[in-house]
Amino acid sequence: MEPLAIAAALLSGLLHASWNAAVKSANDPGAAMTAQVVTAGVVAFVLMWIVGPPPLAVVPWIIASSLISAGTLVTMRRAYATGAFSVVYPLARSLGPGLVVAAGLVLGFGVPDWPGLV
């Protein structure tokens, strides 16, 4: 694997854990999460003007991903209100890949090979 890809994956994990910890520890978790989502949207919008808009063929996938992410954010915010960060965050992060495999099976994308499952 390329060193840049490894570095990007590690940075991504650090950033995700950091902003989730910030939401959990904030006095107003809803405001903290909203600020993060709005900031990410502004950064994405600016980057889109630099690299160009996505092809129209991927827009339905962007919309679907955004809706799923919104549901995830609402669920995590509710979970943080009642559960410890050390339980909620790892559980939330580990459920995603399993749900993707299950959705792929239901939607007819087939069974992933062993390396894909690992």
Side-chain angles (χ1 to χ4, degrees):
M1 184 178 273
E2 302 258 346
L4 182 59
I6 294 170
L10 291 173
L11 179 62
S12 174
L14 176 67
L15 289 172
H16 276 89
S18 297
W19 63 57
N20 276 276
V23 167
K24 173 65 178 163
S25 64
N27 290 333
D28 185 351
M33 189 172 280
T34 300
Q36 290 174 4
V37 170
V38 169
T39 300
V42 169
V43 169
F45 186 76
V46 169
L47 288 174
M48 185 180 70
W49 284 103
I50 294 170
V51 301
L56 287 178
V58 302
V59 170
W61 293 101
I62 292 172
I63 293 169
S65 175
S66 297
L67 292 172
I68 291 168
S69 291
T72 300
L73 291 172
V74 169
T75 303
M76 287 188 75
R77 184 167 160 246
R78 288 181 180 163
Y80 285 152
T82 59
F85 179 78
S86 61
V87 174
V88 172
Y89 182 74
L91 185 60
R93 291 297 112 189
S94 65
L95 283 175
L99 292 174
V100 167
V101 170
L105 292 171
V106 169
L107 295 173
F109 291 113
V111 179
D113 57 10
W114 281 108
L117 286 173
V118 171

